[in-house]
Amino acid sequence: MTATSPSKWTDRYEMVVGLEVHVHLKTRTKIFCRCSTDFGAAPNANTCPVCLALPGALPVLNDHAVELAIRASVALGCTVQSTSIFARKNYFYPDLPKGYQISQFDRPLATGGCVQIGVRGDGSPINIGVTRVHMEEDAGKSVHDRFAGYTAVDLNRAGVPLAEIVSEPDMRGSAEANAYLQAVKQILEYVAVSDVSMEEGSLRVDANISARRVGETKLGTKAEVKNMNSFSGVVRALEVEFARQCAILDAGGRIEQQTMLWDANTGEVRPARSKEGSHDYRYFPEPDLPPLVVPLERIDHITRHLPELPDARRKRYKRDYPDLTDYDVELLTAGPAMGEYFEHAARAANDPKTAANWMLGEVLAALKSTNQPIDHFTVRPGDLAELLNLVRDGVVSHSAAKQIFALMVKTGDPPAQIAEREGLVKVSDDSALVAWIDEVFAEHPAEAERFTGGERRLQGVLVGYVMKKSKGSADPKKVNQLLAGRAAT
């Protein structure tokens, strides 16, 4: 059902949100077998007796998946338990061959974490609690649009290792939910545990949401919203479901605990089924897997070798690069590869602010237009620094540098080579500059006459004409000097 705008209700009702984030761990093979986890393979190509649940097939735990799950848990501030237990979560679904999912229930891998999503007006942090991180296997995928009138099942995803990150119901509104998701995604990228791609299904979100009267402390009855395939979709779904619940409560009705499906095309939520409790899944310890015992030495080793986290990098940039604005820092630390590119270019050019300006201008625009990830960008950070040095040393003009950069994006060639080949090395010779100025005056006689007659504001226009005629190679400082001389006469 569609609901009215959530803003109608915020003076009387408060949104309470907890999120479950399911993350594919970046392993080459599945969690309990040696089948590939590669995305995009032919349907059911990456399967074996274990993930097909054939009789007699037994699971063997992937140690690399354990390593990545521990790394994610530590990065999220959780306490990793020395012993955790795998359990069978029993339910029927067409793409779950065993009729149960191997997960963790009352003895998860890690508990008690925290993610900061911002600061309040008084400077205090806004923290979202992480209840638990547990490991489990993914189910397969039901495909509804491949064959008309039929649902197909692709089991390539069955058995792909997942870490499920369960938050406390600490978020108050869709904006905080979005900020939390962005922060969790960024942390997981920094510690390289997942591709976190919602497009490929390696990051999925379920939202538990309830509405309560402003001022109340008791949690309301929650609904779980599924089928959200983008962070913006999560925001929209939460707002629609919140408005739906508020309308029911305002009319004196009761909220039913149920699972809702989000339809992004219609902007609607609709009931899928009544919400199960843990007893409905009939959890019991997985008899084919022993308890997962993680030595304290292993936890300590992973903790000590954890990569720099986003918050630490932001603080370091603010300390080491005081010329950068808070906005600069946020964008440059958006992902680990972005920060590494910037630091390489800034060191090589010995000019962090100029490197940042180019990163947030030309580089980001080129990445967007070419759809390249920055770690595979055709312009290497050392070559960007060389281009900045050419401008600083007066070898090329700023406008010529932009032309050179565009050609670097297309070809990957070094900037000095392009500047020489394209005739973009700065021309400071008076005779050449005077010749271009004469041509501009001849082509634009009205502007030239007004300029020499005292209309000085046209000087910038004439400089632009000269720069265009010279394809950006004219020395703009000398052009301005020469034009000023003509105005004086």
Side-chain angles (χ1 to χ4, degrees):
M1 61 188 69
T2 305
T4 55
S5 168
S7 60
K8 173 182 176 181
W9 308 103
T10 51
D11 60 331
R12 285 172 288 161
Y13 293 95
E14 179 180 52
M15 184 191 301
V16 179
V17 179
L19 296 175
E20 300 170 7
V21 179
H22 306 259
V23 181
H24 277 180
L25 298 172
K26 193 161 55 177
T27 58
R28 290 185 296 104
T29 56
K30 295 183 180 181
I31 189 169
F32 298 125
C33 67
R34 297 187 64 82
C35 288
S36 171
T37 57
D38 285 348
F39 178 80
N44 298 300
N46 298 337
T47 57
C48 73
V50 173
C51 41
L52 292 174
L54 299 184
L58 295 174
V60 177
L61 182 59
N62 183 334
D63 187 65
H64 189 216
V66 175
E67 181 87 6
L68 296 179
I70 294 173
R71 193 187 302 173
S73 300
V74 173
L76 293 166
C78 295
T79 299
V80 178
Q81 305 300 314
S82 58
T83 302
S84 57
I85 305 292
F86 284 99
R88 289 188 179 182
K89 180 181 181 181
N90 296 273
Y91 64 95
F92 172 77
Y93 211 69
D95 53 23
L96 190 70
K98 294 192 293 286
Y100 61 86
Q101 177 190 34
I102 300 178
S103 181
Q104 292 182 320
F105 177 48
D106 55 345
R107 299 284 298 276
L109 177 70
T111 56
C114 182
V115 173
Q116 183 177 340
I117 63 169
V119 293
R120 297 182 176 85
D122 61 2
S124 61
I126 303 173
N127 291 325
I128 307 300
V130 176
T131 310
R132 56 189 279 150
V133 176
H134 64 260
M135 299 180 67
E136 63 186 19
E137 61 179 340
D138 205 352
K141 182 179 181 181
S142 295
V143 182
H144 304 292
D145 56 0
R146 186 73 59 86
F147 306 103
Y150 296 90
T151 293
V153 175
D154 181 3
L155 295 177
N156 280 342
R157 204 171 67 184
V160 169
L162 288 175
E164 181 172 343
I165 302 161
V166 182
S167 83
E168 294 287 335
D170 289 343
M171 285 155 270
R172 301 292 179 263
S174 58
E176 288 194 1
N178 182 58
Y180 171 80
L181 289 173
Q182 297 288 354
V184 168
K185 178 177 182 288
Q186 190 179 62
I187 289 169
L188 298 176
E189 283 182 303
Y190 266 71
V191 295
V193 301
S194 173
D195 293 330
V196 289
S197 168
M198 294 194 81
E199 293 79 11
E200 296 183 2
S202 58
L203 187 151
R204 303 196 297 275
V205 181
D206 296 334
N208 293 300
I209 173 175
S210 63
R212 65 184 179 190
R213 289 277 182 181
V214 170
E216 288 186 358
T217 57
K218 183 180 178 181
L219 294 175
T221 302
K222 67 182 179 182
E224 183 177 29
V225 183
K226 292 179 174 287
N227 199 38
M228 300 168 291
N229 58 11
S230 67
F231 287 177
S232 61
V234 173
V235 169
R236 290 176 60 212
L238 287 174
E239 291 175 349
V240 169
E241 173 59 16
F242 174 65
R244 182 190 75 87
Q245 292 187 23
C246 290
I248 293 172
L249 293 172
D250 219 48
R254 289 187 354 166
I255 303 301
E256 179 183 351
Q257 184 167 321
Q258 59 187 330
T259 297
M260 310 293 290
L261 294 180
W262 166 247
D263 188 329
N265 293 322
T266 62
E268 298 176 342
V269 290
R270 64 177 186 272
R273 60 180 182 273
S274 60
K275 174 65 177 168
E276 299 93 342
S278 60
H279 60 278
D280 295 308
Y281 292 120
R282 295 176 291 118
Y283 283 101
F284 64 87
E286 169 56 62
D288 294 330
L289 288 170
L292 173 58
V293 178
V294 183
L296 293 177
E297 294 81 7
R298 185 178 188 183
I299 300 171
D300 181 62
H301 180 269
I302 292 173
T303 302
R304 285 188 289 106
H305 291 84
L306 207 65
E308 183 180 42
L309 294 177
D311 190 52
R313 178 168 284 185
R314 283 190 287 269
K315 290 176 180 176
R316 178 167 62 83
Y317 279 18
K318 290 177 182 180
R319 181 187 70 243
D320 294 348
Y321 309 117
D323 291 338
L324 300 185
T325 66
D326 289 346
Y327 177 78
D328 294 340
V329 170
E330 285 298 320
L331 290 181
L332 293 171
T333 59
M338 175 70 76
E340 288 159 13
Y341 189 107
F342 161 70
E343 291 191 51
H344 187 155
R347 282 195 304 269
N350 196 28
D351 188 348
K353 181 59 177 176
T354 301
N357 290 342
W358 275 78
M359 288 279 300
L360 304 181
E362 282 72 18
V363 171
L364 285 183
L367 292 173
K368 184 177 181 180
S369 65
T370 61
N371 201 29
Q372 294 182 64
I374 195 164
D375 47 355
H376 292 94
F377 189 34
T378 49
V379 179
R380 297 169 290 276
D383 286 343
L384 176 63
E386 182 185 340
L387 177 61
L388 303 187
N389 290 337
L390 291 176
V391 176
R392 181 198 62 203
D393 296 339
V395 178
V396 300
S397 68
H398 187 74
S399 61
K402 291 189 174 184
Q403 297 179 58
I404 293 168
F405 180 80
L407 292 170
M408 291 166 68
V409 173
K410 290 181 180 179
T411 66
D413 292 340
Q417 178 181 321
I418 293 174
E420 192 68 36
R421 183 178 70 221
E422 300 294 327
L424 293 171
V425 174
K426 187 186 289 184
V427 175
S428 300
D429 178 67
D430 283 3
S431 60
L433 299 177
V434 167
W436 281 324
I437 291 172
D438 288 343
E439 290 179 30
V440 166
F441 273 42
E443 293 168 3
H444 303 277
E447 289 93 333
E449 183 177 351
R450 287 161 54 199
F451 173 67
T452 55
E455 200 169 334
R456 292 296 186 89
R457 64 186 181 85
L458 287 172
Q459 183 165 324
V461 175
L462 295 171
V463 170
Y465 288 149
V466 174
M467 296 306 296
K468 183 176 181 181
K469 181 168 287 293
S470 68
K471 298 180 179 179
S473 64
D475 183 340
K477 184 177 180 181
K478 295 208 70 174
V479 172
N480 269 292
Q481 291 172 352
L482 292 170
L483 283 173
R486 291 206 179 189
T489 58

